[in-house]
Amino acid sequence: MSVTPLQALPVDQLRQRSSTKWRTYPEDVLPLFVAETDFPLAPAITQRLERAVELGDTGYTPPDPGIRSAFVAFARRRFGWDVEPRRVRSTCDVMMGVTEIVRAIIEPGDRVVVTPPVYPPFYDCVPEAGGVVERVPLTHVDGRWELDLAGIEAALADGARVVLLCNPHNPTGTTHAQESLAALAEIAERHGARVVSDEIHAPLTHAPAEFTPFLAASDAAARVGFAVTSASKAFNLAGLKCALMVTASDATTAVVDALPDEVEWRTGLFGALAGVAAFDPASDAWLDALLATLDHNRRLLADLLAAHVPGARYEIPDAGYLAWVDLSELGWGANPAVKILRDAKVALHFGPKFGAEGAGHVRINIGCAPEVLTEAVQRIGTLLAR
């Protein structure tokens, strides 16, 4: 059955927003950097928030705002993943959840493995939790990004205590294979380590790729793993502040249950209300329409780069709306987004912020109208002719 793509809002309307994407740069800049999308909210979310405002329902978040059961149903429906509600606890956002879990399972000074190029806050949350970052870059073989399992095992054998996983991976858009995740779990268990998996982009996995929740990858993964996720990326709810910490064993659940009450108190009420509406079956059609739009855009970007920015290297991502593009051959330096912002008036995310492996790269947000994406790449292409 065909799905009608979701239509982005007009740019003049988007410029009335007060969020980071639309308030960081002047109006002559097209913003395709931070992870916000340009679409209207799912109707069920709008209706729920409008009702809350009508009621003045702006108080403290209750002990059970419904987000646990809503996520459990969503995970079963969309991923075929059975989650026990008692093993789900909320907090403010994914990186706060990651930080608090890491803080709880390491001793100060312990090393935590990250897999660059990777989401820049990973480099900040580890020291905030008292750990030290240990870099084990992804490998790139035959056009696929993969975990360096041998490198991770060496790090754990040498004393690292935690692997901070990005699944699906940001910025490459890679969905890690079940076999790779199961192998990672076995390695971690063999060395008495834990895995904390950021799974915020999971709802945006594009067919035929499949998302495998880390905790469902194997029995060992259930024993050693923690997952942290949210509706915020798929449904554009980052400002409302609600994330979920998920476990699958008694030992890991005890860790999350023992976190200070304040960790859960940080959950935003509007975030919880919006998350319940996002995870409801009523929002599935909206999510499917979004996926249709993003699928078109991820392929459109390949065509646009080939036509206007020859020399750019880009592999269509498995998931998400963030495209990782190598512009090294253009000779625009280690951080080509600086030149692109200055001379083409297009704001992209700075590649080096994702680690040394990001030199010469940019990350492009394709969660916009095809016309906006087209104009952005055409502007970048004019730099080659100057």
Side-chain angles (χ1 to χ4, degrees), residues 133-318:
V133 169
E134 174 140 350
R135 302 168 67 260
V136 182
L138 297 177
T139 62
H140 191 223
V141 181
D142 297 328
R144 285 289 302 173
W145 295 92
E146 296 181 356
L147 296 169
D148 179 0
L149 294 172
I152 291 172
E153 176 146 35
L156 297 183
D158 192 45
R161 307 309 307 141
V162 176
V163 178
L164 186 47
L165 179 69
C166 202
N167 178 42
H169 197 87
N170 175 6
T172 65
T174 302
T175 53
H176 299 298
Q178 182 271 330
E179 295 81 3
S180 180
L181 297 176
L184 173 63
E186 291 177 7
I187 291 168
E189 189 166 53
R190 185 158 57 244
H191 294 285
R194 301 289 197 183
V195 177
V196 181
S197 185
D198 170 357
E199 301 188 348
I200 198 169
H201 294 277
L204 297 177
T205 300
H206 303 290
E210 294 183 356
F211 166 68
T212 300
F214 178 75
L215 299 181
S218 67
D219 290 343
R223 290 190 294 268
V224 303
F226 301 82
V228 191
T229 191
S230 173
S232 64
K233 283 292 182 290
F235 294 90
N236 203 42
L237 305 174
L240 299 185
K241 298 302 181 184
C242 177
L244 299 169
M245 302 172 288
V246 186
T247 51
S249 74
D250 289 345
T252 52
T253 300
V255 171
V256 173
D257 286 348
L259 294 175
D261 289 344
E262 189 62 31
V263 173
E264 189 161 334
W265 269 108
R266 293 168 185 158
T267 306
L269 177 57
F270 274 26
L273 297 176
V276 170
F279 291 140
D280 191 273
S283 294
D284 280 358
W286 183 95
L287 180 56
D288 290 339
L290 172 63
L291 283 164
T293 300
L294 299 180
D295 182 41
H296 174 266
N297 282 0
R298 67 182 179 142
R299 300 174 192 281
L300 173 63
L301 179 60
D303 294 339
L304 291 170
L305 290 171
H308 301 285
V309 193
R313 290 188 298 236
Y314 160 65
E315 290 150 4
I316 294 175
D318 297 330

